Structure formats: structure tokens, C-alpha cells
Amino acid sequence: MSHKPFIRTLRAQWLGVQLRELRETRGMTLDLVARHLNRDRSALGRYERAEWPIQRSDVLALLDLYGFHRASDRAQLLSLAEEVWRTDHWSDSYGDVVDASFIDFPWLESRAETVCSYHAAVVPGLFQLPAYAELVIRCTEGPKVSEEKIRRGIALRMDRQLVLKEPRQIRFEVIIDEAALRRQIGGPSLLQAQLAHLAKIARLPQVDLRVLPETVPLHPGVEGSFWLFRMPPPYPEVGYLESMAGQMYFELPKSERFRHAYDHMKEVALDPVTSSRLIKHIEKGLS
């Protein structure tokens, strides 16, 4: 009898990462754990790599061996082991833990082969200057935001930009709405500096930067910005949205909508060379 292949869902990957980190924190090797639990070493490795679905009983045995006794955290991981097949309702099921632990934007970004994104209102955070980033953060966080949170937000955004300099070059395919390039955040001088910075980034070999011109009346991005993480095989692609309600992740089959939307928008956007010319034109017009 043939069995349906196991899809390496975000839940399975998250659980595997948590188990590997617990093991490494205790200074244990896979061989040592296998001997203690009388399990096959290769099976334990596949659990950590999300290649096989792990049984709840095995998770319980591992948590006991690692001395992981916090009741709430144990319950969460055990519940996760029962749902490694699921690809939906991340925010409903796990709340803030999703953003604070494994399933977060930097984790997906660092492991993707290609990150595709559309930006409707502002220059994406990965390409922002500190002064530009500060104004965006102040606006989105609201008037009661603390100065410490703003400083931390800017620092995190700048740290994220180091991914553009890493040896393993992730490909970034970015579409920016022309309206976002003309929005004078911080005034003409800051926008001019931001556009010059953007033009410099557009020359990086791993960046495919395109502008969606104002002449395109309707497109799939009319509902707002979105991301699509194209992961290396056999991991499935992941769609991502941000809103005032929080962060949302979408796996197959819902991520297919993100792929179709991005591919369509790429067709109607300006090519990279023409996009660079438009960015320079807008920049010069601010002088």
C-alpha cells in the first residue's frame, strides 16, 4: 500500500527546531539521545528536520529526557505534535508564540531560496534608511510608542538588512508601487536619499527590483502588501501578510493565491532597467 508523502509543514518544522534546540542546549548528541530512549538515531534526526511526523509519545519522552518541565510549554509542544499535518489557522491556534519563537519573518527569510514581495505604501523595510525607518515605525506603532521601542525597531530593521551581505545570497524579487516611491515620508531631502539608496540596492545581483507604474489601474495587490517565501525543496512555499490585526502565514493550498498574484504583477510591472530609470527620475525631480 502506498502512503501519502508527509508535507513538511510549518508546524512540523517549528516542532523540529524546538526539539533540536532543547537537545543542543542540554549538550546531547543524537547518538546519546537514541541510546537513552532506545530509538533509532536516524529517526530522531528526521524528526528534527521535519522529514517524518513525530508521535506525541516520542515528544513526551524527549521532553522528559531534556528536563523540560514547564507545564504550559510542554502542553504547547505536545499539542503541536498532534497537529503537524495542519497548514491553517496559525494565529488562531498559537497566538503570540508564533511570532516570538520559530515561525517568524526572519526565520523564513533566512531559509528561503527566493523572497517575493509587493509593497503598496512605503519602501520595504529591508531597503529602508534608518531615518526613513524611524518615521514608518512611529506611524505604524502609534502616538503612545516608547522611544526605546522605536530604537529597538530601527536596530532590528538594520540588523535584518545584513541578509543582503551574507555569503548565501537569497534572491529578492521586489515590486514597489510607484505611489510608494513618490510619497514624501520625511520630506523631499529624506525621500531623495532613500531613493538613491534604493537605486544602489537595485544593482545587487541577488535583487530583482521592479516598479508597478501608476498607469496600471487594477492588479491583485489592490488589497495591500504581501510576501511569498519560495522555500528549497521539499519545503512548501509560504504566503505572508501583515495587518493591524497581526501577522498571518499561509501554506498550501492557500499560498497558491499569493504565487498567482505575484506572477501576474511581475508581468505588468516595469522591467528592472526601466524601473531603475524611473527611480532615478523621481529622485532627480526632488532636487
Side-chain angles (χ1 to χ4, degrees):
M1 179 184 296
S2 62
H3 295 279
K4 185 177 179 180
F6 177 62
I7 299 174
R8 299 178 183 183
T9 64
L10 287 181
R11 281 177 172 83
Q13 295 177 60
W14 183 25
L15 180 59
V17 167
Q18 300 299 311
L19 294 176
R20 186 182 72 243
E21 288 183 351
L22 283 173
R23 175 177 60 78
E24 292 175 346
T25 299
R26 270 53 175 187
M28 296 183 178
T29 65
L30 281 173
D31 287 329
L32 180 62
V33 174
R35 288 197 299 273
H36 271 288
L37 299 182
N38 195 25
R39 299 288 197 278
D40 182 75
R41 179 191 184 281
S42 62
L44 293 174
R46 291 188 178 99
Y47 292 155
E48 292 185 357
R49 296 191 298 272
E51 294 175 358
W52 282 358
I54 187 171
Q55 298 296 316
R56 187 181 188 277
S57 58
D58 283 335
V59 174
L60 185 60
L62 289 171
L63 295 181
D64 288 342
L65 178 62
Y66 300 151
F68 193 67
H69 299 307
R70 288 195 298 256
S72 60
D73 293 336
R74 281 173 64 94
Q76 186 179 75
L77 291 180
L78 290 170
S79 175
L80 192 62
E82 297 174 349
E83 299 183 338
V84 290
W85 292 92
R86 289 183 60 186
T87 62
D88 59 349
H89 301 301
W90 268 105
S91 56
D92 294 343
S93 301
Y94 295 96
D96 294 338
V97 178
V98 174
D99 299 334
S101 187
F102 160 64
I103 303 299
D104 63 7
F105 195 101
W107 191 96
L108 285 169
E109 186 176 68
S110 66
R111 286 158 176 79
E113 286 189 336
T114 304
V115 179
C116 304
S117 59
Y118 165 66
H119 304 271
V122 298
V123 171
L126 192 64
F127 303 155
Q128 290 175 4
L129 292 172
Y132 187 101
E134 177 181 352
L135 293 174
V136 173
I137 293 169
R138 286 186 183 277
C139 178
T140 55
E141 291 292 339
K144 295 183 179 181
V145 62
S146 68
E147 292 300 313
E148 173 58 28
K149 187 170 185 179
I150 291 173
R151 286 193 295 270
R152 189 166 62 249
I154 296 171
L156 288 172
R157 197 158 296 192
M158 296 305 107
D159 286 344
R160 249 192 70 218
Q161 294 180 7
L162 295 176
V163 73
L164 295 170
K165 300 178 181 179
E166 290 181 354
R168 188 188 84 82
Q169 292 188 346
I170 303 164
R171 182 166 177 78
F172 291 93
E173 295 188 3
V174 181
I175 299 173
I176 306 177
D177 200 287
E178 183 178 345
L181 301 178
R182 295 186 180 277
R183 182 165 288 110
Q184 292 195 16
I185 295 173
S189 296
L190 178 55
L191 180 58
Q192 190 175 39
Q194 178 62 72
L195 293 177
H197 181 64
L198 189 62
K200 182 179 178 181
I201 289 175
R203 294 195 291 269
L204 294 175
Q206 71 271 35
V207 174
D208 182 298
L209 178 60
R210 299 169 187 255
V211 176
L212 187 72
E214 294 175 332
T215 53
V216 177
L218 280 175
H219 53 81
V222 292
E223 294 181 343
S225 305
F226 64 89
W227 285 257
L228 177 68
F229 298 91
R230 288 179 165 146
M231 311 300 285
Y235 298 107
E237 61 190 8
V238 180
Y240 172 79
L241 288 176
E242 283 183 357
S243 71
M244 287 187 285
Q247 301 172 325
M248 293 174 286
Y249 300 87
F250 301 87
E251 299 176 71
L252 290 171
K254 292 182 179 179
S255 61
E256 291 179 349
R257 182 177 178 184
F258 289 75
R259 172 164 32 90
H260 294 322
Y262 187 84
D263 289 345
H264 174 73
M265 294 178 68
K266 189 174 179 179
E267 290 180 0
V268 298
L270 301 176
D271 63 76
V273 174
T274 308
S275 296
S276 293
R277 290 174 182 161
L278 179 56
I279 293 170
K280 294 300 291 183
H281 174 75
I282 298 173
E283 178 195 341
K284 289 180 180 178
L286 295 166
S287 300

